Amino acid sequence: MPTLVLASVFLLLAALPGLPDDRSKPETIDATAMGTSTQMGAVVGVTVIIYNYSTPEDRQVLVQAFTKGQNQGLVNALTKMRAVGRISITGTLGYDLSYIKMFPTPAGRKIRFITNRQLRYGEVYWDTQSTAYNLTAGELDLNDTDKSKSTGVLYPAAFLEIDKEGQLQIQLRENAWKLVDLIDWRGTPGLN
């Protein structure tokens, strides 16, 4: 009887959504974020975990959402998407990444990510200006030939808008953070 119960529990766990059904290993990229301009001297750790990359269909959903509702439309669409990764910044609990795209480069690859930023209680309660900056985005430029040349940038609080010339612009609440000392812990080849 106990073996039957144990077997049932294992079958149930294997069928639950969100649990990996294979032995794939996510890619993890650790970096040091260095403040720029007014945050000069501030240093925090950043970890980006990539479960898998977003599809062209995901990109199309985001483009359509931004076209219809600008920044808020994009935030709403990101909120509804499944997590394809996770970002953790020292001092925060971290949060899911909704969109991750990889582009090959001559020396390696470039990874871009974006997600809706979790607003803090104080921001919402006091209805501060920072509630408009409800996106977090970044770019990692991984150099496979010379790892010391890998860099990146993190936009911890941003929003997107179209300027008078019709160009997409990223507006920041503060300054971008420079990512240095990147360490790429490769995941399962072909998946992430």
Short mmCIF file of all heavy atoms in Angstrom, two decimals, residues 35-102:
data_model
loop_
_atom_site.label_atom_id
_atom_site.label_comp_id
_atom_site.label_asym_id
_atom_site.label_seq_id
_atom_site.Cartn_x
_atom_site.Cartn_y
_atom_site.Cartn_z
N GLY A 35 27.01 51.42 -10.66
CA GLY A 35 26.24 52.63 -10.88
C GLY A 35 26.99 53.63 -11.75
O GLY A 35 28.22 53.66 -11.76
N THR A 36 26.24 54.43 -12.49
CA THR A 36 26.84 55.48 -13.31
C THR A 36 26.24 56.81 -12.88
O THR A 36 25.19 56.87 -12.25
CB THR A 36 26.54 55.24 -14.81
OG1 THR A 36 25.13 55.22 -15.00
CG2 THR A 36 27.14 53.93 -15.28
N SER A 37 26.92 57.88 -13.17
CA SER A 37 26.48 59.24 -12.89
C SER A 37 26.12 59.41 -11.41
O SER A 37 26.98 59.27 -10.56
CB SER A 37 25.32 59.63 -13.80
OG SER A 37 25.04 61.00 -13.66
N THR A 38 24.84 59.63 -11.09
CA THR A 38 24.45 59.91 -9.70
C THR A 38 24.58 58.68 -8.79
O THR A 38 24.60 58.82 -7.58
CB THR A 38 23.02 60.44 -9.62
OG1 THR A 38 22.14 59.51 -10.23
CG2 THR A 38 22.90 61.79 -10.31
N GLN A 39 24.64 57.47 -9.37
CA GLN A 39 24.83 56.27 -8.56
C GLN A 39 26.29 55.81 -8.56
O GLN A 39 26.59 54.69 -8.18
CB GLN A 39 23.95 55.11 -9.06
CG GLN A 39 22.49 55.33 -8.88
CD GLN A 39 21.85 55.81 -10.17
OE1 GLN A 39 22.45 55.84 -11.22
NE2 GLN A 39 20.61 56.23 -10.08
N MET A 40 27.19 56.66 -9.01
CA MET A 40 28.60 56.29 -9.11
C MET A 40 29.09 55.75 -7.77
O MET A 40 28.81 56.32 -6.73
CB MET A 40 29.44 57.51 -9.51
CG MET A 40 30.88 57.18 -9.84
SD MET A 40 31.05 56.23 -11.34
CE MET A 40 30.86 57.50 -12.55
N GLY A 41 29.77 54.65 -7.81
CA GLY A 41 30.30 54.02 -6.61
C GLY A 41 29.42 52.92 -6.06
O GLY A 41 29.87 52.10 -5.28
N ALA A 42 28.17 52.89 -6.47
CA ALA A 42 27.27 51.83 -6.02
C ALA A 42 27.55 50.56 -6.84
O ALA A 42 27.71 50.62 -8.05
CB ALA A 42 25.82 52.25 -6.18
N VAL A 43 27.63 49.43 -6.15
CA VAL A 43 27.90 48.15 -6.80
C VAL A 43 26.96 47.11 -6.22
O VAL A 43 26.84 46.98 -5.01
CB VAL A 43 29.37 47.72 -6.57
CG1 VAL A 43 29.64 46.36 -7.19
CG2 VAL A 43 30.33 48.75 -7.12
N VAL A 44 26.26 46.38 -7.11
CA VAL A 44 25.37 45.30 -6.68
C VAL A 44 25.55 44.10 -7.60
O VAL A 44 25.99 44.24 -8.73
CB VAL A 44 23.88 45.72 -6.67
CG1 VAL A 44 23.61 46.81 -5.65
CG2 VAL A 44 23.42 46.16 -8.03
N GLY A 45 25.17 42.96 -7.11
CA GLY A 45 25.22 41.75 -7.92
C GLY A 45 23.92 41.55 -8.68
O GLY A 45 22.85 41.89 -8.19
N VAL A 46 24.04 41.02 -9.88
CA VAL A 46 22.88 40.74 -10.72
C VAL A 46 23.02 39.31 -11.25
O VAL A 46 24.10 38.92 -11.69
CB VAL A 46 22.78 41.71 -11.91
CG1 VAL A 46 21.66 41.32 -12.85
CG2 VAL A 46 22.61 43.13 -11.43
N THR A 47 21.94 38.55 -11.17
CA THR A 47 21.91 37.21 -11.74
C THR A 47 20.73 37.11 -12.69
O THR A 47 19.60 37.44 -12.32
CB THR A 47 21.77 36.14 -10.63
OG1 THR A 47 22.88 36.25 -9.74
CG2 THR A 47 21.73 34.75 -11.23
N VAL A 48 21.01 36.69 -13.91
CA VAL A 48 19.96 36.47 -14.92
C VAL A 48 19.94 34.97 -15.19
O VAL A 48 20.95 34.38 -15.54
CB VAL A 48 20.25 37.24 -16.22
CG1 VAL A 48 19.23 36.88 -17.29
CG2 VAL A 48 20.25 38.74 -15.96
N ILE A 49 18.76 34.38 -15.00
CA ILE A 49 18.58 32.95 -15.26
C ILE A 49 17.68 32.82 -16.48
O ILE A 49 16.60 33.41 -16.52
CB ILE A 49 17.97 32.23 -14.05
CG1 ILE A 49 18.87 32.39 -12.82
CG2 ILE A 49 17.73 30.75 -14.36
CD1 ILE A 49 18.26 31.93 -11.52
N ILE A 50 18.14 32.04 -17.47
CA ILE A 50 17.39 31.87 -18.72
C ILE A 50 16.90 30.43 -18.78
O ILE A 50 17.69 29.50 -18.88
CB ILE A 50 18.28 32.19 -19.94
CG1 ILE A 50 18.79 33.62 -19.84
CG2 ILE A 50 17.51 31.95 -21.23
CD1 ILE A 50 19.88 33.95 -20.84
N TYR A 51 15.57 30.27 -18.71
CA TYR A 51 14.97 28.94 -18.87
C TYR A 51 14.94 28.57 -20.35
O TYR A 51 15.28 27.47 -20.75
CB TYR A 51 13.56 28.89 -18.31
CG TYR A 51 13.41 29.38 -16.89
CD1 TYR A 51 12.36 30.19 -16.53
CD2 TYR A 51 14.34 29.02 -15.91
CE1 TYR A 51 12.22 30.64 -15.23
CE2 TYR A 51 14.19 29.46 -14.61
CZ TYR A 51 13.14 30.28 -14.27
OH TYR A 51 13.00 30.73 -12.99
N ASN A 52 14.46 29.52 -21.17
CA ASN A 52 14.45 29.37 -22.61
C ASN A 52 14.24 30.74 -23.22
O ASN A 52 13.96 31.70 -22.51
CB ASN A 52 13.41 28.35 -23.10
CG ASN A 52 12.04 28.60 -22.52
OD1 ASN A 52 11.61 29.73 -22.41
ND2 ASN A 52 11.36 27.55 -22.13
N TYR A 53 14.40 30.84 -24.53
CA TYR A 53 14.26 32.13 -25.21
C TYR A 53 12.83 32.31 -25.72
O TYR A 53 12.13 31.35 -25.99
CB TYR A 53 15.26 32.23 -26.36
CG TYR A 53 16.68 32.31 -25.85
CD1 TYR A 53 17.52 31.21 -25.88
CD2 TYR A 53 17.18 33.50 -25.30
CE1 TYR A 53 18.81 31.28 -25.39
CE2 TYR A 53 18.47 33.57 -24.81
CZ TYR A 53 19.28 32.46 -24.86
OH TYR A 53 20.55 32.54 -24.36
N SER A 54 12.45 33.56 -25.88
CA SER A 54 11.12 33.90 -26.37
C SER A 54 11.02 33.57 -27.86
O SER A 54 12.02 33.54 -28.57
CB SER A 54 10.85 35.38 -26.13
OG SER A 54 10.90 35.67 -24.75
N THR A 55 9.81 33.37 -28.30
CA THR A 55 9.55 33.00 -29.69
C THR A 55 9.25 34.26 -30.52
O THR A 55 8.95 35.33 -29.96
CB THR A 55 8.32 32.07 -29.77
OG1 THR A 55 7.17 32.80 -29.33
CG2 THR A 55 8.52 30.83 -28.91
N PRO A 56 9.30 34.14 -31.86
CA PRO A 56 8.90 35.28 -32.70
C PRO A 56 7.45 35.69 -32.45
O PRO A 56 7.11 36.87 -32.55
CB PRO A 56 9.08 34.74 -34.13
CG PRO A 56 10.12 33.66 -34.00
CD PRO A 56 9.88 33.05 -32.65
N GLU A 57 6.61 34.74 -32.08
CA GLU A 57 5.22 35.06 -31.76
C GLU A 57 5.14 35.94 -30.51
O GLU A 57 4.32 36.85 -30.44
CB GLU A 57 4.39 33.78 -31.55
CG GLU A 57 4.19 32.96 -32.81
CD GLU A 57 5.41 32.09 -33.19
OE1 GLU A 57 6.28 31.83 -32.33
OE2 GLU A 57 5.49 31.70 -34.36
N ASP A 58 6.00 35.67 -29.52
CA ASP A 58 6.04 36.50 -28.32
C ASP A 58 6.40 37.94 -28.68
O ASP A 58 5.81 38.89 -28.17
CB ASP A 58 7.07 35.96 -27.31
CG ASP A 58 6.69 34.62 -26.72
OD1 ASP A 58 5.49 34.30 -26.68
OD2 ASP A 58 7.61 33.90 -26.29
N ARG A 59 7.38 38.09 -29.57
CA ARG A 59 7.80 39.42 -30.00
C ARG A 59 6.64 40.14 -30.68
O ARG A 59 6.40 41.32 -30.43
CB ARG A 59 8.99 39.33 -30.95
CG ARG A 59 9.48 40.67 -31.43
CD ARG A 59 10.58 40.54 -32.48
NE ARG A 59 11.09 41.81 -32.90
CZ ARG A 59 10.47 42.66 -33.73
NH1 ARG A 59 9.30 42.33 -34.22
NH2 ARG A 59 10.99 43.81 -34.05
N GLN A 60 5.92 39.43 -31.53
CA GLN A 60 4.80 40.03 -32.25
C GLN A 60 3.71 40.50 -31.28
O GLN A 60 3.13 41.57 -31.46
CB GLN A 60 4.23 39.06 -33.28
CG GLN A 60 3.24 39.68 -34.22
CD GLN A 60 3.81 40.85 -35.01
OE1 GLN A 60 4.98 40.86 -35.38
NE2 GLN A 60 3.00 41.85 -35.26
N VAL A 61 3.44 39.72 -30.25
CA VAL A 61 2.46 40.11 -29.23
C VAL A 61 2.88 41.42 -28.57
O VAL A 61 2.06 42.32 -28.37
CB VAL A 61 2.29 38.99 -28.17
CG1 VAL A 61 1.55 39.49 -26.95
CG2 VAL A 61 1.59 37.78 -28.78
N LEU A 62 4.18 41.55 -28.25
CA LEU A 62 4.67 42.77 -27.59
C LEU A 62 4.62 43.97 -28.53
O LEU A 62 4.26 45.07 -28.11
CB LEU A 62 6.09 42.55 -27.07
CG LEU A 62 6.23 41.50 -25.97
CD1 LEU A 62 7.68 41.37 -25.54
CD2 LEU A 62 5.35 41.82 -24.78
N VAL A 63 4.97 43.77 -29.79
CA VAL A 63 4.90 44.87 -30.77
C VAL A 63 3.47 45.36 -30.90
O VAL A 63 3.21 46.57 -30.88
CB VAL A 63 5.48 44.42 -32.13
CG1 VAL A 63 5.17 45.43 -33.21
CG2 VAL A 63 6.99 44.19 -32.02
N GLN A 64 2.52 44.44 -31.04
CA GLN A 64 1.12 44.83 -31.17
C GLN A 64 0.62 45.53 -29.90
O GLN A 64 -0.11 46.53 -29.98
CB GLN A 64 0.26 43.61 -31.46
CG GLN A 64 0.45 43.06 -32.85
CD GLN A 64 -0.30 41.75 -33.07
OE1 GLN A 64 -0.80 41.13 -32.14
NE2 GLN A 64 -0.36 41.32 -34.33
N ALA A 65 1.02 45.04 -28.74
CA ALA A 65 0.59 45.65 -27.48
C ALA A 65 1.14 47.07 -27.35
O ALA A 65 0.42 47.98 -26.91
CB ALA A 65 1.04 44.79 -26.29
N PHE A 66 2.39 47.27 -27.74
CA PHE A 66 2.99 48.60 -27.66
C PHE A 66 2.32 49.54 -28.67
O PHE A 66 2.05 50.70 -28.36
CB PHE A 66 4.50 48.56 -27.89
CG PHE A 66 5.16 49.89 -27.69
CD1 PHE A 66 5.41 50.36 -26.42
CD2 PHE A 66 5.51 50.67 -28.77
CE1 PHE A 66 6.01 51.60 -26.23
CE2 PHE A 66 6.11 51.91 -28.59
CZ PHE A 66 6.36 52.37 -27.31
N THR A 67 2.03 49.04 -29.86
CA THR A 67 1.38 49.85 -30.89
C THR A 67 0.01 50.34 -30.41
O THR A 67 -0.35 51.49 -30.62
CB THR A 67 1.22 49.04 -32.20
OG1 THR A 67 2.52 48.60 -32.62
CG2 THR A 67 0.60 49.87 -33.29
N LYS A 68 -0.73 49.46 -29.74
CA LYS A 68 -2.08 49.82 -29.28
C LYS A 68 -2.06 50.66 -28.01
O LYS A 68 -2.83 51.62 -27.89
CB LYS A 68 -2.89 48.56 -29.01
CG LYS A 68 -3.30 47.83 -30.25
CD LYS A 68 -4.11 46.59 -29.92
CE LYS A 68 -4.45 45.82 -31.17
NZ LYS A 68 -5.14 44.57 -30.88
N GLY A 69 -1.21 50.30 -27.05
CA GLY A 69 -1.30 50.95 -25.75
C GLY A 69 -0.02 51.58 -25.24
O GLY A 69 0.07 51.86 -24.05
N GLN A 70 0.96 51.78 -26.13
CA GLN A 70 2.24 52.37 -25.77
C GLN A 70 2.85 51.61 -24.57
O GLN A 70 2.77 50.40 -24.52
CB GLN A 70 2.10 53.86 -25.49
CG GLN A 70 1.63 54.66 -26.69
CD GLN A 70 2.64 54.67 -27.82
OE1 GLN A 70 3.79 54.97 -27.62
NE2 GLN A 70 2.19 54.30 -29.02
N ASN A 71 3.45 52.33 -23.63
CA ASN A 71 4.16 51.69 -22.52
C ASN A 71 3.23 50.83 -21.67
O ASN A 71 3.56 49.69 -21.33
CB ASN A 71 4.84 52.75 -21.65
CG ASN A 71 5.77 52.14 -20.62
OD1 ASN A 71 6.84 51.66 -20.95
ND2 ASN A 71 5.35 52.15 -19.36
N GLN A 72 2.05 51.33 -21.33
CA GLN A 72 1.14 50.57 -20.47
C GLN A 72 0.64 49.31 -21.18
O GLN A 72 0.47 48.27 -20.56
CB GLN A 72 -0.03 51.42 -19.98
CG GLN A 72 -0.81 50.78 -18.87
CD GLN A 72 0.05 50.40 -17.66
OE1 GLN A 72 0.85 51.19 -17.18
NE2 GLN A 72 -0.09 49.18 -17.19
N GLY A 73 0.42 49.39 -22.48
CA GLY A 73 0.03 48.20 -23.24
C GLY A 73 1.11 47.15 -23.20
O GLY A 73 0.83 45.95 -23.07
N LEU A 74 2.37 47.58 -23.31
CA LEU A 74 3.50 46.66 -23.23
C LEU A 74 3.58 46.02 -21.86
O LEU A 74 3.75 44.81 -21.74
CB LEU A 74 4.80 47.41 -23.55
CG LEU A 74 6.08 46.61 -23.54
CD1 LEU A 74 6.05 45.52 -24.60
CD2 LEU A 74 7.27 47.52 -23.77
N VAL A 75 3.41 46.81 -20.81
CA VAL A 75 3.44 46.28 -19.44
C VAL A 75 2.33 45.24 -19.25
O VAL A 75 2.57 44.17 -18.69
CB VAL A 75 3.32 47.41 -18.39
CG1 VAL A 75 3.09 46.87 -17.00
CG2 VAL A 75 4.56 48.30 -18.43
N ASN A 76 1.14 45.55 -19.73
CA ASN A 76 0.02 44.61 -19.59
C ASN A 76 0.31 43.30 -20.31
O ASN A 76 0.03 42.22 -19.79
CB ASN A 76 -1.27 45.23 -20.13
CG ASN A 76 -1.75 46.40 -19.29
OD1 ASN A 76 -1.34 46.58 -18.14
ND2 ASN A 76 -2.59 47.22 -19.88
N ALA A 77 0.88 43.37 -21.52
CA ALA A 77 1.20 42.15 -22.27
C ALA A 77 2.29 41.35 -21.57
O ALA A 77 2.22 40.12 -21.48
CB ALA A 77 1.64 42.52 -23.69
N LEU A 78 3.31 42.02 -21.04
CA LEU A 78 4.39 41.34 -20.33
C LEU A 78 3.86 40.62 -19.09
O LEU A 78 4.31 39.53 -18.75
CB LEU A 78 5.49 42.33 -19.94
CG LEU A 78 6.35 42.85 -21.07
CD1 LEU A 78 7.15 44.07 -20.63
CD2 LEU A 78 7.28 41.76 -21.59
N THR A 79 2.90 41.24 -18.42
CA THR A 79 2.32 40.66 -17.22
C THR A 79 1.62 39.34 -17.52
O THR A 79 1.63 38.42 -16.71
CB THR A 79 1.32 41.65 -16.59
OG1 THR A 79 2.00 42.86 -16.31
CG2 THR A 79 0.73 41.11 -15.31
N LYS A 80 1.05 39.22 -18.72
CA LYS A 80 0.30 38.02 -19.09
C LYS A 80 1.17 36.91 -19.66
O LYS A 80 0.71 35.79 -19.80
CB LYS A 80 -0.78 38.39 -20.11
CG LYS A 80 -1.84 39.32 -19.54
CD LYS A 80 -2.79 39.77 -20.61
CE LYS A 80 -3.76 40.81 -20.04
NZ LYS A 80 -4.58 41.40 -21.08
N MET A 81 2.42 37.22 -20.01
CA MET A 81 3.29 36.22 -20.63
C MET A 81 3.86 35.27 -19.57
O MET A 81 4.04 35.65 -18.42
CB MET A 81 4.44 36.90 -21.38
CG MET A 81 3.97 37.74 -22.55
SD MET A 81 5.31 38.59 -23.39
CE MET A 81 5.63 37.40 -24.67
N ARG A 82 4.17 34.06 -20.02
CA ARG A 82 4.80 33.10 -19.12
C ARG A 82 6.26 33.50 -18.91
O ARG A 82 6.87 34.13 -19.77
CB ARG A 82 4.69 31.69 -19.67
CG ARG A 82 5.49 31.49 -20.95
CD ARG A 82 5.41 30.06 -21.44
NE ARG A 82 6.06 29.94 -22.73
CZ ARG A 82 7.38 29.86 -22.90
NH1 ARG A 82 8.18 29.88 -21.86
NH2 ARG A 82 7.89 29.77 -24.11
N ALA A 83 6.80 33.12 -17.79
CA ALA A 83 8.20 33.45 -17.48
C ALA A 83 9.14 32.60 -18.33
O ALA A 83 8.98 31.39 -18.44
CB ALA A 83 8.48 33.20 -16.01
N VAL A 84 10.12 33.27 -18.95
CA VAL A 84 11.15 32.56 -19.70
C VAL A 84 12.50 32.67 -18.98
O VAL A 84 13.50 32.14 -19.44
CB VAL A 84 11.26 33.08 -21.15
CG1 VAL A 84 10.03 32.71 -21.95
CG2 VAL A 84 11.51 34.58 -21.18
N GLY A 85 12.50 33.36 -17.85
CA GLY A 85 13.72 33.52 -17.07
C GLY A 85 13.43 34.25 -15.78
O GLY A 85 12.26 34.50 -15.43
N ARG A 86 14.48 34.61 -15.09
CA ARG A 86 14.35 35.31 -13.81
C ARG A 86 15.55 36.21 -13.63
O ARG A 86 16.66 35.87 -14.04
CB ARG A 86 14.26 34.30 -12.68
CG ARG A 86 13.96 34.93 -11.34
CD ARG A 86 13.27 33.96 -10.41
NE ARG A 86 13.01 34.58 -9.14
CZ ARG A 86 11.95 35.31 -8.87
NH1 ARG A 86 11.04 35.50 -9.79
NH2 ARG A 86 11.77 35.84 -7.68
N ILE A 87 15.33 37.37 -13.02
CA ILE A 87 16.42 38.28 -12.69
C ILE A 87 16.42 38.50 -11.19
O ILE A 87 15.36 38.63 -10.57
CB ILE A 87 16.33 39.62 -13.45
CG1 ILE A 87 17.58 40.46 -13.18
CG2 ILE A 87 15.06 40.36 -13.11
CD1 ILE A 87 17.72 41.65 -14.10
N SER A 88 17.60 38.51 -10.64
CA SER A 88 17.76 38.77 -9.21
C SER A 88 18.81 39.85 -9.05
O SER A 88 19.92 39.74 -9.58
CB SER A 88 18.20 37.48 -8.51
OG SER A 88 18.44 37.73 -7.15
N ILE A 89 18.45 40.90 -8.35
CA ILE A 89 19.36 42.01 -8.08
C ILE A 89 19.56 42.06 -6.57
O ILE A 89 18.58 42.01 -5.81
CB ILE A 89 18.77 43.35 -8.59
CG1 ILE A 89 18.49 43.24 -10.09
CG2 ILE A 89 19.69 44.51 -8.28
CD1 ILE A 89 17.70 44.39 -10.68
N THR A 90 20.80 42.13 -6.13
CA THR A 90 21.09 42.15 -4.70
C THR A 90 20.22 43.18 -4.00
O THR A 90 20.10 44.31 -4.45
CB THR A 90 22.58 42.48 -4.45
OG1 THR A 90 23.37 41.48 -5.12
CG2 THR A 90 22.91 42.49 -2.98
N GLY A 91 19.60 42.77 -2.92
CA GLY A 91 18.73 43.66 -2.16
C GLY A 91 17.27 43.55 -2.55
O GLY A 91 16.43 44.23 -1.98
N THR A 92 16.96 42.73 -3.56
CA THR A 92 15.57 42.52 -3.97
C THR A 92 15.27 41.03 -3.97
O THR A 92 16.18 40.20 -3.94
CB THR A 92 15.29 43.07 -5.38
OG1 THR A 92 15.96 42.23 -6.35
CG2 THR A 92 15.76 44.50 -5.54
N LEU A 93 13.99 40.71 -4.04
CA LEU A 93 13.59 39.31 -4.14
C LEU A 93 13.77 38.78 -5.56
O LEU A 93 13.78 37.59 -5.78
CB LEU A 93 12.13 39.14 -3.73
CG LEU A 93 11.81 39.47 -2.28
CD1 LEU A 93 10.32 39.41 -2.04
CD2 LEU A 93 12.54 38.53 -1.36
N GLY A 94 13.90 39.70 -6.51
CA GLY A 94 13.99 39.31 -7.90
C GLY A 94 12.61 39.09 -8.48
O GLY A 94 11.61 39.10 -7.77
N TYR A 95 12.55 38.91 -9.79
CA TYR A 95 11.27 38.68 -10.42
C TYR A 95 11.46 38.01 -11.77
O TYR A 95 12.56 37.94 -12.31
CB TYR A 95 10.44 39.96 -10.56
CG TYR A 95 11.22 41.21 -10.87
CD1 TYR A 95 11.37 41.65 -12.17
CD2 TYR A 95 11.78 41.96 -9.84
CE1 TYR A 95 12.07 42.80 -12.45
CE2 TYR A 95 12.49 43.12 -10.12
CZ TYR A 95 12.63 43.54 -11.42
OH TYR A 95 13.33 44.68 -11.70
N ASP A 96 10.34 37.51 -12.30
CA ASP A 96 10.37 36.76 -13.55
C ASP A 96 10.66 37.68 -14.73
O ASP A 96 10.23 38.83 -14.76
CB ASP A 96 9.03 36.07 -13.79
CG ASP A 96 8.78 34.93 -12.82
OD1 ASP A 96 9.76 34.35 -12.33
OD2 ASP A 96 7.60 34.62 -12.56
N LEU A 97 11.37 37.14 -15.72
CA LEU A 97 11.59 37.83 -16.98
C LEU A 97 10.57 37.30 -17.98
O LEU A 97 10.40 36.09 -18.13
CB LEU A 97 13.01 37.58 -17.50
CG LEU A 97 14.13 38.23 -16.69
CD1 LEU A 97 15.49 37.78 -17.20
CD2 LEU A 97 14.01 39.74 -16.72
N SER A 98 9.89 38.21 -18.66
CA SER A 98 8.82 37.83 -19.58
C SER A 98 9.31 37.65 -21.01
O SER A 98 8.68 36.94 -21.78
CB SER A 98 7.72 38.89 -19.57
OG SER A 98 7.23 39.04 -18.26
N TYR A 99 10.40 38.32 -21.39
CA TYR A 99 10.88 38.25 -22.77
C TYR A 99 12.40 38.24 -22.78
O TYR A 99 13.04 39.12 -22.18
CB TYR A 99 10.36 39.45 -23.56
CG TYR A 99 10.73 39.42 -25.02
CD1 TYR A 99 10.01 38.66 -25.93
CD2 TYR A 99 11.83 40.14 -25.49
CE1 TYR A 99 10.35 38.62 -27.28
CE2 TYR A 99 12.18 40.10 -26.83
CZ TYR A 99 11.45 39.35 -27.71
OH TYR A 99 11.79 39.31 -29.04
N ILE A 100 12.98 37.26 -23.44
CA ILE A 100 14.44 37.16 -23.59
C ILE A 100 14.72 36.77 -25.04
O ILE A 100 14.18 35.79 -25.54
CB ILE A 100 15.06 36.11 -22.65
CG1 ILE A 100 14.70 36.40 -21.19
CG2 ILE A 100 16.57 36.06 -22.83
CD1 ILE A 100 15.15 35.32 -20.22
N LYS A 101 15.59 37.53 -25.69
CA LYS A 101 15.94 37.26 -27.08
C LYS A 101 17.46 37.22 -27.21
O LYS A 101 18.16 38.02 -26.61
CB LYS A 101 15.37 38.37 -27.97
CG LYS A 101 15.55 38.14 -29.43
CD LYS A 101 14.66 37.04 -29.92
CE LYS A 101 14.82 36.87 -31.43
NZ LYS A 101 14.25 35.67 -31.93
N MET A 102 17.97 36.26 -28.00
CA MET A 102 19.40 36.12 -28.23
C MET A 102 19.70 36.41 -29.69
O MET A 102 18.96 35.98 -30.58
CB MET A 102 19.84 34.71 -27.87
CG MET A 102 21.34 34.53 -27.83
SD MET A 102 22.09 33.82 -29.30
CE MET A 102 21.25 32.29 -29.50
#
